[in-house]
């Protein structure tokens, strides 16, 4: 077992600082951080086979150590509804990425379940030079980028710390049920924050962690994208 240690050591050996989404999500899953079902495919045919296995709709994403922001490279295709759309999507992603960065090393294409739309939250961690591992929580999109409505706590977090990080957000009412949006599962959010804290405490060589976005449902949460950067 201990996938996290294996993956981190392998990346170090290869001199890679940014883990691939497959690697980051495997580590998250080991720490009970819920992630979308995913499988790496290396050909058009494999992509369609994996998609059939996971079930539609499907999301495809480029897996490349040279591409950190996948959508900037045209490397994300969402809501593919059948095998033929998946095959076209695979070709399109490879074409986009080649145009974006002709020498990008392509490991393959990540085939994953499409998480139903919901309130998007962001869970992050950064290693502060003074305070060490610090966990961050906020709502997605404009709440973080424009309003800077995020909360930080130095790890390790207790469940009470995590709860405060959530309930003290200005946008908390949006998580607590607003108009047509059912309340988010606060216990599951506390869980993801505590598990993230545990992960970065166990691996001090993690410099940055970014779960963005995480879908917050009324029953559970699901991490759609995960990035881990090593020192
Ligand atoms: P990046 O941040 O590297 O550009 P993401 O994996 O975050 O790539 O994908 C970009 C966007 O596509 C996400 O913010 C999300 O809105 C959507 N998306 C990606 N993967 C999924 C998925 N499995 N289910 C639903 N939406 C997804
Ligand atoms: Mg993302």
């Amino acid at each position: 077992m201990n996938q996290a240690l294996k993956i981190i050591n392998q990346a170090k050996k290869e001199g890679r600082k940014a883990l691939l989404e497959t690697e980051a999500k495997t580590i998250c899953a080991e720490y009970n951080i819920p992630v979308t079902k995913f499988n790496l495919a290396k050909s058009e045919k494999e992509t369609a086979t994996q998609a059939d296995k996971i079930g539609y709709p499907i999301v495809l994403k480029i897996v490349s150590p040279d591409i950190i922001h996948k959508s900037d490279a045209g490397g994300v295709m969402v809501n593919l509804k059948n095998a033929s759309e998946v095959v076209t999507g695979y070709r399109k992603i490879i074409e986009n990425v080649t145009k974006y960065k002709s020498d990008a090393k392509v490991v393959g294409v990540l085939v994953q379940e499409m998480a139903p739309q919901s309130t998007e939250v962001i869970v992050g961690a950064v290693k502060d030079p003074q305070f060490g591992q610090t966990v961050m929580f906020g709502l997605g999109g404009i709440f973080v980028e424009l309003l800077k409505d995020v909360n930080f706590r130095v790890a390790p977090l207790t469940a009470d710390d995590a709860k405060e990080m959530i309930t003290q957000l200005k946008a908390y009412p949006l998580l607590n049920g607003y108009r047509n949006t059912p309340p988010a599962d606060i216990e599951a959010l506390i869980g993801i924050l505590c598990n993230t804290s545990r992960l970065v405490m166990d691996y001090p060589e993690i410099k940055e962690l970014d779960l963005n976005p995480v879908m917050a449902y009324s029953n559970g949460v699901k991490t759609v994208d995960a990035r881990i950067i090593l020192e």
Side-chain angles (χ1 to χ4, degrees):
M1 247 344 253
N2 207 337
Q3 297 281 326
L5 184 64
K6 240 195 258 169
I7 289 169
I8 289 172
N9 282 343
Q10 184 62 30
K12 281 183 188 165
K13 220 168 82 189
E14 292 173 18
R16 278 190 293 126
K17 302 243 178 273
L19 300 186
L20 302 170
E21 183 177 340
T22 42
E23 297 172 324
K25 280 187 170 168
T26 303
I27 293 176
C28 285
E30 191 171 62
Y31 276 78
N32 286 324
I33 295 170
V35 297
T36 49
K37 272 186 230 149
F38 65 89
N39 261 311
L40 183 69
K42 299 208 177 222
S43 68
E44 225 172 85
K45 192 155 168 269
E46 238 176 65
T47 304
T49 312
Q50 295 298 356
D52 282 342
K53 233 186 258 172
I54 289 171
Y56 297 91
I58 280 286
V59 176
L60 297 183
K61 298 190 209 179
I62 190 68
V63 181
S64 164
D66 302 313
I67 292 169
I68 308 276
H69 297 284
K70 300 172 291 283
S71 20
D72 291 354
V76 179
M77 303 281 257
V78 301
N79 204 19
L80 306 175
K81 296 194 188 70
N82 51 53
S84 110
E85 285 190 18
V86 160
V87 167
T88 315
Y90 175 91
R91 288 184 196 143
K92 190 82 195 141
I93 283 183
I94 301 293
E95 189 188 307
N96 289 346
V97 166
T98 312
K99 251 187 237 158
Y100 183 80
K101 196 168 191 299
S102 59
D103 60 345
K105 180 175 182 284
V106 174
V107 177
V109 164
L110 197 56
V111 185
Q112 59 186 244
E113 78 177 285
M114 173 132 172
Q117 201 52 50
S118 189
T119 308
E120 294 190 3
V121 301
I122 297 177
V123 174
V126 284
K127 190 170 179 176
D128 183 89
Q130 213 165 355
F131 298 108
Q133 298 290 19
T134 305
V135 177
M136 183 271 254
F137 180 73
L139 265 74
I142 59 159
F143 294 100
V144 169
E145 285 155 28
L146 206 64
L147 306 175
K148 311 278 184 242
D149 182 22
V150 293
N151 282 329
F152 289 89
R153 285 288 184 289
V154 175
L157 300 186
T158 64
D160 284 340
D161 293 329
K163 190 167 190 175
E164 275 180 17
M165 288 174 74
I166 299 163
T167 55
Q168 290 176 359
L169 282 179
K170 289 191 212 81
Y172 174 64
L174 290 179
L175 288 174
N176 200 23
Y178 178 77
R179 297 204 175 155
N180 297 327
T181 317
D185 186 339
I186 303 298
E187 286 309 312
L189 290 172
I190 293 172
I192 198 171
L193 286 170
C194 290
N195 289 332
T196 299
S197 161
R198 211 158 45 80
L199 166 57
V200 295
M201 289 306 286
D202 283 355
Y203 293 95
E205 58 269 74
I206 295 180
K207 192 177 131 202
E208 277 173 48
L209 173 150
D210 191 23
L211 310 180
N212 180 12
V214 173
M215 298 292 180
Y217 301 109
S218 50
N219 184 4
V221 294
K222 197 158 267 191
T223 303
V224 155
D225 184 24
R227 237 188 299 279
I228 292 178
I229 314 282
L230 304 176
E231 277 176 332

